[in-house]
Amino acid sequence: MSTKTSFKRIAAVAAVALTLGGFSAVSANAAINADSLSVASATATGTVGTKATAAFTTSFIGSATGENTAVTAVLLSSPVGSVALPTVETTTTFTADTETVSGAVATNTFNGTNGTATYVSGTFNVALTAAVAGTYVVKLVQTLSSGTSLVTTAPTITFTISAKPAISAAASTVYNNYAYNASMSILNSYAAHSATTDAYNIACYDAVALCAEIQVNQSNGSTTSPLTAADASAITVTVSGPATVAINGTSGGFVAGLSTGVVAVETTAQVATLGLTPYVDVWSNGTPGTATITISAGTTVLATKKVSFFHTAATITPTVASPVVAIGANAAAITAVVSDASGFPVPNVHVYAVSDTAAAVSNSYTDCGLSSLTGVVSCALTGVAAGTANITLTLNSSATGTSTVSSKSAVRVAGPVASVKWALDSATYIPGALVTATVTLLDAAGLPVAPGTYTVFTAAPTFSMAPATTSPLAASVVVAAGSTTGTTTYTFNAPLVAGNLDIKATTATLATAANSAVAVVLSAVIAGGAAVDAAQAAQDAANEATDAANAATDAANNAMDSADAATAAAQDAGDKADAALAAITDLATKVSDIATQVSALSALVSKIAAAVAKISAKVKA
């Protein structure tokens, strides 16, 4: 037995004796034997679903053959709802004691060998993969194989686990990948489309077979792409309409929810199995129509796609974009929509144009191309000479075809410009007024020409007086697409001064020689306007002022006559007042006399009354 081993056993016995006797002493075990357990850091971080690790180092000196140590990670606390437990990863690097014992070098094992002591150490990891965000406290406990604890104070590590970044609909890409036709050949490939440019819906034949694949690329907007299985979320797909769905159904992977309206769900475990860019496979249930496919990662809706199911083409509905066509090529002269019996658009169908009058329109089973996802196709026509033709749109590529799906439209081929007619909308304008000019182009038959650009004047028309705004009249005239009248309308403002306006031009070389190189003119009179209106207003004001002066003179004369009459009336009133005063004076004199007489009479009556009283007294006596 080596001296070091003896010391260790003596120290162990002494420690036990002191413990049993109730004494305490400073342990020399760690110092002597160098048994230790330490963590690189007391904290660690991680995210939900991703393994978080924290390193620790342990060392000990084996004192007997077969003796070994173990470190256990014990979970002290965790968030509510968590079931995750820490583990100790066994991958480690050991360091051997290089001292020579009994003439031999210590071997790199946990065990004492040939009675020699071996000093070893190792670095391990505590690993924690949590499904719930929060704080986790882990304690490390080190023991010998005999169960004896080597370290008095067990270190702890606090793990802070954050929620993983949410999947972002804006950062993720979900795009239509393929659509198939009835024979399961690729009808359309959309692989180059991204989430921001994929404006197309998918359309495919409505047989009960695989219709389309939609590729899903998840992203949380921050984690380096591609995401790991832990970063990604399970894909959920819902469907409404005539479709069934599955996730990675064609790859032999996961197939679920294969019925209309039922959800297809990819579990987290299947994320790793199926890859991080799964395909949503879409089947038809055999009914034409449109299905809505909603794709979500967890609770985040990544995209909503429309899948259209069509059946065999049954109708062609034309729209004559240009009923008047020119001699030569006429692009998109007729557009049409190909539909099935339910009225649903049918894509990827060839449509052919056939003319019944080759002398006017030369098309004979001319391929218009494939109908689009919305069933639309455009047919170009080739005009040969002026005349009319009926154009049949058909699914037959030749006269021997058997399809009965067709439509018929009439078109007229116009000849070149043979005459020019132009006019103004009025013969007179006030200065600055809006002027409308029309130019009509006719062919030799006197019918409107086809839409297009025609040089009909040798130069732009000239004006005898400058218009208030620039004239749009030019040597060339553009007949708008779809026009059946051959007429183009121009507007500008009349000159700002009064006078005679002449607009002159010379016709170019036209189809009719008599109408070529001919000087033409439009005339109008510019009259009135603000200056004339102002002068008239001034004259009217002057006339009104004269009338007012005359009225004032008449009023003055009337006032003078009234004054003379008032004077005469006043004089007459004075005379009458004098007469009244004399009458009043006379009356006052007479009243005074009467009053004197009444007074005398009253005195006489008093005397008579006194005499009567005396008489009465005597009679009583």
Side-chain angles (χ1 to χ4, degrees):
M1 180 181 297
S2 68
T3 304
K4 183 181 290 185
T5 302
S6 299
F7 284 162
K8 183 169 184 176
R9 291 182 176 178
I10 293 169
V13 172
V16 173
L18 288 173
T19 301
L20 294 175
F23 295 97
S24 63
V26 177
S27 173
N29 186 64
I32 297 174
N33 297 326
D35 298 327
S36 65
L37 177 63
S38 61
V39 296
S41 174
T43 60
T45 59
T47 57
V48 167
T50 303
K51 182 175 67 175
T53 60
F56 70 88
T57 300
T58 180
S59 63
F60 81 108
I61 298 175
S63 59
T65 301
E67 186 177 63
N68 56 67
T69 186
V71 176
T72 303
V74 179
L75 184 63
L76 295 183
S77 63
S78 63
V80 175
S82 174
V83 295
L85 295 175
T87 59
V88 175
E89 295 181 333
T90 58
T91 301
T92 183
T93 300
F94 299 108
T95 302
D97 183 0
T98 58
E99 66 178 321
T100 300
V101 180
S102 302
V105 176
T107 58
N108 186 16
T109 70
F110 277 103
N111 303 324
T113 303
N114 297 324
T116 63
T118 302
Y119 177 92
V120 294
S121 65
T123 300
F124 298 81
N125 284 334
V126 177
L128 178 66
T129 302
V132 178
T135 301
Y136 297 74
V137 179
V138 177
K139 180 175 70 172
L140 299 180
V141 178
Q142 185 180 31
T143 58
L144 287 172
S145 56
S146 60
T148 304
S149 176
L150 297 179
V151 178
T152 303
T153 303
T156 60
I157 302 172
T158 300
F159 288 84
T160 301
I161 305 299
S162 302
K164 67 180 180 181
I167 299 300
S168 166
S172 299
T173 57
V174 179
Y175 55 86
N176 304 335
N177 200 57
Y178 292 109
Y180 299 90
N181 59 19
S183 61
M184 285 304 296
S185 298
I186 293 177
L187 176 64
N188 288 296
S189 175
Y190 304 90
H193 299 159
S194 68
T196 55
T197 62
D198 181 13
Y200 300 96
N201 291 333
I202 303 174
C204 40
Y205 194 73
D206 65 8
V208 184
L210 178 64
C211 163
E213 293 177 344
I214 304 172
Q215 186 170 337
V216 182
N217 297 318
Q218 295 185 54
S219 174
N220 56 29
S222 59
T223 304
T224 303
S225 181
L227 298 181
T228 65
D231 294 324
S233 294
I235 296 298
T236 300
V237 184
T238 59
V239 57
S240 63
T244 57
V245 295
I247 301 174
N248 281 54
T250 58
S251 65
F254 171 56
V255 181
L258 196 56
S259 60
T260 302
V262 176
V263 177
V265 180
E266 177 188 42
T267 67
T268 303
Q270 289 159 340
V271 172
T273 303
L274 302 178
L276 299 174
T277 56
Y279 289 90
V280 175
D281 300 312
V282 183
W283 281 263
S284 165
N285 66 3
T287 304
T290 299
T292 300
I293 312 297
T294 302
I295 302 171
S296 303
T299 59
T300 300
V301 175
L302 300 183
T304 298
K305 295 292 184 179
K306 300 289 186 180
V307 180
S308 301
F309 301 99
F310 58 88
H311 201 62
T312 304
T315 61
I316 299 175
T317 304
T319 298
V320 180
S322 182
V324 181
V325 299
I327 296 173
N330 296 268
I334 300 178
T335 60
V337 176
V338 183
S339 306
D340 62 17
S342 300
F344 205 80
V346 178
N348 212 48
V349 175
H350 281 279
V351 176
Y352 302 88
V354 183
S355 169
D356 68 349
T357 307
V361 178
S362 63
N363 292 63
S364 178
Y365 294 98
T366 304
D367 190 357
C368 300
L370 289 170
S371 56
S372 68
L373 291 176
T374 56
V376 176
V377 65
S378 294
C379 297
L381 300 179
T382 301
V384 177
T388 59
N390 291 315
I391 308 300
T392 298
L393 300 185
T394 177
L395 300 183
N396 295 319
S397 60
S398 68
T400 60
T402 60
S403 174
T404 59
V405 180
S406 65
S407 66
K408 185 174 291 187
S409 303
V411 297
R412 178 176 67 83
V413 180
V417 178
S419 63
V420 180
K421 296 184 180 297
W422 64 343
L424 299 176
D425 63 334
S426 178
T428 60
Y429 300 93
I430 63 173
L434 184 68
V435 179
T436 300
T438 56
V439 181
T440 301
L441 309 182
L442 305 174
D443 63 11
L447 298 174
V449 299
T453 301
Y454 302 89
T455 300
V456 296
F457 299 120
T458 57
T462 60
F463 286 68
S464 61
M465 296 189 298
T469 56
T470 302
S471 165
L473 294 170
S476 296
V477 173
V478 178
V479 178
S483 173
T484 59
T485 63
T487 299
T488 301
T489 300
Y490 303 92
T491 59
F492 55 90
N493 290 94
L496 297 177
V497 296
N500 295 323
L501 172 64
D502 292 325
I503 305 174
K504 298 180 179 180
T506 300
T507 59
T509 301
L510 307 179
T512 300
N515 296 329
S516 302
V518 175
V520 292
V521 61
L522 292 176
S523 297
V525 176
I526 311 301
V532 174
D533 292 343
Q536 184 62 51
Q539 182 62 50
D540 292 343
N543 293 338
E544 291 176 359
T546 300
D547 292 342
N550 292 335
T553 301
D554 292 342
N557 292 333
N558 291 336
M560 292 179 64
D561 292 341
S562 297
D564 291 342
T567 301
Q571 291 175 349
D572 181 61
D575 293 341
K576 291 180 179 180
D578 291 341
L581 179 60
I584 291 171
T585 303
D586 180 64
L587 178 59
T589 303
K590 291 178 178 180
V591 169
S592 177
D593 292 342
I594 292 171
T596 301
Q597 291 175 4
V598 169
S599 178
L601 181 60
S602 296
L604 179 59
V605 170
S606 295
K607 289 180 178 179
I608 293 170
V612 171
K614 289 179 178 181
I615 294 171
S616 296
K618 288 180 177 181
V619 172
K620 289 179 178 180

